Amino acid sequence: MNRVTRWLTLVVLAVLAACTNPTPEEQAMATAQECYRQLMDGNSEAFLEGRAGMDSIPQSYHEQLLVSYRQFAHMQRQAHKGVTSIEATRTAMDSTLHVMQVFLLINYADSTKEEIVVPMVEDNEGLWKMK
C-alpha cells in the first residue's frame, strides 16, 4: 500500500469515527428527547430514570413522582389530543452551572406547539441526565 493510499484510508477512518461518536450536545439532546417521548407514551418510570439523583430517593417520593408524571401526561393527552412528535432543536451550555440546556419542541395532535427547556447534567459515568 503506497503512502497516498494509507493517508486516504486514515482520513476515511477518522471521518467514520467522527460520525459514530456523537458530541456531548447530541448526546444530551437525544437523551432529553427520549425521556420526554417515554413520558408522553405513558412510561413514567423511564422518565424518572432519566433524572439525575433519582436512584437515592425514598420509595414514597419515587411513587409520588410517578403519579405526578402520569397525571401530567394524561392532562396533556386530554388538552391536546396527544403528542405527534418531540424534536430536540438546539442546546446552550451554561459553563458556570455545568448544565446543558436542551430545547425541545413538542408538537401536539391539535396542531399546537410548545417549546420547553430541559436542563441536562453529565453524571460520573458520562451519561446525560435531566436535572
Side-chain angles (χ1 to χ4, degrees):
M1 185 183 299
N2 68 27
R3 190 174 186 188
V4 172
T5 306
R6 278 187 293 196
W7 183 80
L8 284 174
T9 302
L10 288 175
V11 169
V12 169
L13 289 174
V15 168
L16 289 174
C19 291
T20 58
N21 292 331
T23 65
E25 291 83 358
E26 292 169 333
Q27 291 173 356
M29 288 172 72
T31 301
Q33 184 176 358
E34 183 58 27
C35 286
Y36 270 85
R37 185 174 295 123
Q38 291 292 330
L39 175 64
M40 295 306 177
D41 286 345
N43 190 352
S44 53
E45 186 72 45
F47 183 78
L48 183 61
E49 288 174 14
R51 289 192 54 197
M54 293 296 110
D55 54 346
S56 60
I57 62 173
Q59 186 62 31
S60 61
Y61 184 51
H62 179 96
E63 292 301 322
Q64 290 172 3
L65 288 173
L66 291 177
V67 168
S68 294
Y69 296 153
R70 287 184 197 114
Q71 288 174 341
F72 173 77
H74 179 72
M75 288 179 357
Q76 295 301 305
R77 282 191 294 276
Q78 283 189 320
H80 301 288
K81 302 176 187 164
V83 173
T84 57
S85 67
I86 299 172
E87 304 167 37
T89 58
R90 67 186 192 280
T91 62
M93 183 64 180
D94 185 334
S95 57
T96 305
L97 297 175
H98 303 288
V99 172
M100 179 87 63
Q101 304 288 353
V102 175
F103 294 79
L104 296 179
L105 183 63
I106 301 176
N107 297 295
Y108 294 102
D110 66 359
S111 76
T112 58
K113 298 177 183 208
E114 178 180 12
E115 184 176 55
I116 63 171
V117 180
V118 182
M120 304 290 289
V121 293
E122 191 173 15
D123 69 8
N124 295 335
E125 298 171 8
L127 300 175
W128 287 92
K129 300 273 188 165
M130 296 179 293
K131 186 168 172 134

